Amino acid sequence: MSWAAPEDLYLSTSLASYLDKKLLILLRDGRKLMGTLRSFDQFANAVLEGACERVIVGDLYCDIPLGLYVIRGENVVLIGEMDVEREELPPHMTRVPTEEIRRAQKVERDASELKGTMRKRMEFLDLD
C-alpha cells in the first residue's frame, strides 16, 4: 500500500487540480457560469477566462459572454470540470439570442409570481 505525500493530498482537494480546465460553476443565486479557471486563492475566490453565463428556460438556452470574470468564493455552491469531448446539452435544447432568453426569463418569473399570489389568496381556504 502506498501513501500520498501531504502536499499531493492538499493539491487533490484544492482548486489547483482544476487550473487551466473548463469548469461549470453553480452560484448561490442559481446562475451557472462556464469558463477556464486561471487563478484562485485560499478563500476559493476564482478567476475565469472566457467566462459565460448559461441561462436555461425550458428547452431554450443562451450563453451570455462575460469575458474575464472574478467570482467570490462565498457565492460558489458547486464546481465541476466540463468534458470538452462530450456534447454539453441534450439535442432537444435550442440555442436562442440573449434578447429572447431574457423575455423567456421574464415570462417564467411573472408566472411564478402569479402562482405565489394565487396561493396567498387561497390560504384562507385551509385545504389541509
Side-chain angles (χ1 to χ4, degrees), residues 15-35:
L15 292 174
S17 60
Y18 290 123
L19 277 173
D20 300 325
K21 294 187 177 163
K22 188 170 181 182
L23 302 180
L24 172 69
I25 300 179
L26 178 63
L27 301 180
R28 282 193 320 186
D29 63 3
R31 289 185 296 156
K32 294 164 274 311
L33 304 180
M34 300 182 311

Side-chain angles (χ1 to χ4, degrees), residues 31-116:
R31 289 185 296 156
K32 294 164 274 311
L33 304 180
M34 300 182 311
T36 304
L37 182 66
R38 291 300 182 207
S39 184
F40 67 93
D41 65 12
Q42 71 270 24
F43 304 108
N45 296 320
V47 177
L48 290 183
E49 182 180 56
C52 66
E53 178 183 355
R54 171 149 299 164
V55 180
I56 299 173
V57 179
D59 287 344
L60 306 177
Y61 80 96
C62 180
D63 291 337
I64 302 169
L66 303 171
L68 193 64
Y69 206 75
V70 178
I71 303 167
R72 281 186 61 106
E74 66 183 26
N75 292 320
V76 174
V77 174
L78 180 78
I79 296 178
E81 184 178 351
M82 296 182 69
D83 187 350
V84 292
E85 309 266 322
R86 280 184 71 191
E87 185 61 36
E88 294 177 12
L89 290 166
H92 70 276
M93 299 293 290
T94 305
R95 184 182 199 122
V96 296
T98 305
E99 302 78 33
E100 189 172 337
I101 204 73
R102 293 291 184 218
R103 279 193 301 271
Q105 277 182 309
K106 183 176 180 346
V107 167
E108 186 177 64
R109 192 171 39 251
D110 291 348
S112 178
E113 287 173 6
L114 179 62
K115 184 178 178 183

